[in-house]
Amino acid sequence: MNLNFTKEDIEFRDEARTWLEEHVPTEPPPDALQALREFDLDWQRTQYEGGWAGISWPKQYGGRGLSVIQQLIWHEEYASAGAPNIGSCFVGMNHAGPTLIECANDAQKAEHLPLILRGEVIWCQGFSEPDAGSDLASLRTRALIDGDELVVNGRKIWTSYSPIADFQELLVRTGSLESRHRGLTWVICDMTAPGITIRPIPNVNGIVHFAEVTYDEVRVPLEKVVGKIGEGWNVAMATLSFERGSAFIAHQIELSRTIEDLMNLARETSMSDGRRAIEDDETGRRLALARAEASALRAMTYRAVSRALVERRPGPEGSMIRLYYSELVQRVHRLGYDIAVGYSTDGNLSGPLARDYLDSLARTIGGGSKEIQRNIIGERVLGLPRQHRVEQQ
Ligand SMILES: Cc1cc2nc3c(=O)[nH]c(=O)nc-3n(C[C@H](O)[C@H](O)[C@H](O)COP(=O)(O)OP(=O)(O)OC[C@H]3O[C@@H](n4cnc5c(N)ncnc54)[C@H](O)[C@@H]3O)c2cc1C
């Protein structure tokens, strides 16, 4: 591991801190999707205009062209400043943009990367289908070539932010139904194209952020194919390696702040015997453990960033951090729930900490379930024998 902060890095940190102190929005993000879109794009635009969007993205497409260490410093300062969660800009900034940087042609990069950075568009991800989640290579949404277009028919599900998205990273089958990973193609789909229908699905908290998306004779120009026809599996693996390897760095760093907030909550919350929650041995033990685990997670994140200095695409080791983070975030939010609800006198089950806990349950499913992450770690990191199947999301 080689992660040393240089004089430039330290100056960069000071500048970032000062800028964030002056610009972080004071109001929380709204729940309603259309309002969230405006809030997220507005904040993204503010960061871009301040020179803080796409720290490690190439300069020619509007980024700063700085190192991944400076990107990490930005995330750290962002979290300590209490800046809003990236929300609906997540796909564009954290995996569609990085996939385009690695796999798209110059025209595609020049068209899309500046739009993402400038906060002009929202992206969503159309990979999962009702019968193709973990086993992504079995997806059935068909795309047939007709002249210089693809004609898409099929159905995607759990497509986060699709009701407010402008573009989609869409994975379709251009080969035969039996071709599995050899017959897939990754395309940039315009979400306003005729034939697309979006049916919102409320989550466990009653909030709509994902949807089912159907495609009925949707025409996608061939120039929107990223990579080559039939070679979409490789592009999709780049997307998933970013989604599992680096997309959650900011969230991992933010988790430490959440734990400190819970420490304060436990200091303020009274139990029925008059003592504070933090004086309860079990609560204190769980808080201390969460803090230690968050430090371990931070060390793993630093190691991954150090590795990213030499390898742009995260390797299968990203699944170790992803798995550890997603299970830890659930333990932390369960602790918050227990402190807030367990000691409350009115038994209020609907406060923000209860909501955070319910939200956290999805973390071990989205982007590949915890079982799939374990399979990847077992097979691709530890070299254990493969399961009887070909590949998984
Ligand atoms: C909040 C949230 C947001 C999401 N956003 C998006 C999005 O924007 N775009 C998108 O394309 N998808 C999205 N998804 C879908 C997500 O990628 C899938 O839910 C996930 O890949 C699991 O697929 P599945 O739901 O079909 O479950 P299945 O694949 O049917 O799995 C069911 C259960 O079986 C287990 N299982 C399956 N195969 C194996 C195996 N080989 N070994 C061991 N266990 C196995 C799984 O771990 C799981 O517990 C989102 C999901 C969530 C929860």
Side-chain angles (χ1 to χ4, degrees):
M1 176 157 134
N2 176 20
L3 196 61
N4 297 313
F5 293 122
T6 62
K7 186 167 159 286
E8 289 74 33
D9 292 337
I10 293 164
E11 284 168 7
F12 176 86
R13 186 185 289 283
D14 289 342
E15 277 175 48
R17 188 172 299 168
T18 308
W19 187 85
L20 283 161
E21 273 166 15
E22 289 164 6
H23 293 88
V24 164
T26 46
E27 71 277 28
D31 283 338
L33 267 185
Q34 198 55 43
L36 182 69
R37 175 187 161 99
E38 280 156 34
F39 178 93
D40 288 340
L41 289 179
D42 197 41
W43 172 225
Q44 177 63 31
R45 209 171 300 122
T46 306
Q47 292 172 77
Y48 176 77
E49 285 164 4
W52 297 102
I55 306 286
S56 61
W57 286 29
K59 267 189 184 167
Q60 68 191 114
Y61 303 118
R64 292 266 307 255
L66 298 176
S67 74
V68 286
I69 293 190
Q70 281 159 328
Q71 181 73 69
L72 171 76
I73 293 172
W74 169 252
H75 287 319
E76 289 184 333
E77 292 306 316
Y78 190 97
S80 352
N85 184 293
I86 189 163
S88 56
C89 291
F90 179 84
V91 173
M93 286 299 298
N94 290 2
H95 52 87
T99 303
L100 295 178
I101 291 170
E102 180 160 322
C103 304
N105 61 34
D106 288 343
Q108 290 165 340
K109 288 187 211 180
E111 179 183 353
H112 289 284
L113 295 176
L115 291 176
I116 296 172
L117 284 183
R118 291 200 301 257
E120 292 184 25
V121 290
I122 298 291
W123 277 66
C124 63
Q125 179 189 47
F127 280 19
S128 304
E129 297 182 4
D131 294 316
S134 303
D135 186 13
L136 184 61
S138 67
L139 69 84
R140 302 172 74 88
T141 294
R142 294 303 302 274
L144 299 177
I145 299 177
D146 180 25
D148 55 3
E149 291 176 322
L150 283 170
V151 182
V152 181
N153 284 285
R155 189 152 65 114
K156 297 287 175 178
I157 198 162
W158 315 125
T159 318
S160 302
Y161 304 113
S162 51
I164 52 166
D166 302 279
F167 294 103
Q168 183 178 53
E169 36 180 40
L170 174 62
L171 199 56
V172 290
R173 180 161 302 287
T174 40
S176 68
L177 281 178
E178 301 72 41
S179 58
R180 288 193 56 87
H181 62 290
R182 285 176 296 279
L184 300 178
T185 299
W186 197 108
V187 299
I188 300 169
C189 178
D190 179 343
M191 291 301 281
T192 62
I196 294 184
T197 306
I198 300 171
R199 293 187 191 84
I201 307 171
N203 72 13
V204 68
N205 277 318
I207 293 168
V208 169
H209 100 248
F210 46 35
E212 178 190 59
V213 183
T214 52
Y215 309 78
D216 181 13
E217 301 287 304
V218 175
R219 293 193 159 261
V220 179
L222 283 174
E223 66 195 28
K224 301 297 176 192
V225 171
V226 172
K228 293 191 179 136
I229 294 277
E231 294 184 8
W233 185 251
N234 186 36
V235 186
M237 287 302 106
T239 309
L240 292 178
S241 68
F242 289 117
E243 191 176 359
R244 291 167 183 160
S246 52
F248 283 90
I249 285 183
H251 294 67
Q252 289 153 21
I253 292 167
E254 275 163 23
L255 192 59
S256 300
R257 206 186 78 220
T258 306
I259 295 167
E260 294 315 304
D261 290 346
L262 290 186
M263 291 268 178
N264 289 332
L265 179 74
R267 286 189 191 100
E268 288 158 10
T269 304
S270 297
M271 298 188 293
S272 53
D273 62 7
R275 289 182 308 143
R276 301 287 166 159
I278 200 148
E279 295 173 69
D280 172 60
D281 285 350
E282 180 57 11
T283 303
R285 187 193 68 78
R286 287 169 72 190
L287 281 165
L289 186 60
R291 222 187 210 180
E293 288 193 285
S295 296
L297 180 67
R298 173 78 65 105
M300 288 165 78
T301 303
Y302 272 34
R303 187 168 184 272
V305 169
S306 165
R307 203 179 177 116
L309 289 170
V310 282
E311 291 167 16
R312 190 147 185 112
R313 185 196 288 199
E317 301 78 17
S319 287
M320 289 162 51
I321 305 184
R322 184 65 209 281
L323 175 66
Y324 190 59
Y325 162 73
S326 58
E327 293 189 330
L328 176 58
V329 85
Q330 287 177 355
R331 286 195 289 279
V332 167
H333 287 301
R334 176 70 214 201
L335 178 54
Y337 174 91
D338 287 345
I339 295 171
V341 178
Y343 297 128
S344 79
T345 45
D346 59 1
N348 175 13
L349 296 175
S350 59
L353 291 163
R355 175 176 148 166
D356 286 348
Y357 172 61
L358 290 176
D359 265 345
S360 76
L361 298 177
R363 300 293 174 87
T364 47
I365 306 172
S369 70
K370 62 184 176 187
E371 290 79 14
I372 295 306
Q373 308 296 350
R374 285 198 162 87
N375 284 349
I376 293 170
I377 296 164
E379 294 167 8
R380 297 193 214 158
V381 180
L382 302 176
L384 299 175
R386 288 178 71 81
Q387 270 194 337
H388 292 295
R389 69 190 147 62
V390 186
E391 62 290 298
Q392 314 165 314
Q393 178 168 0

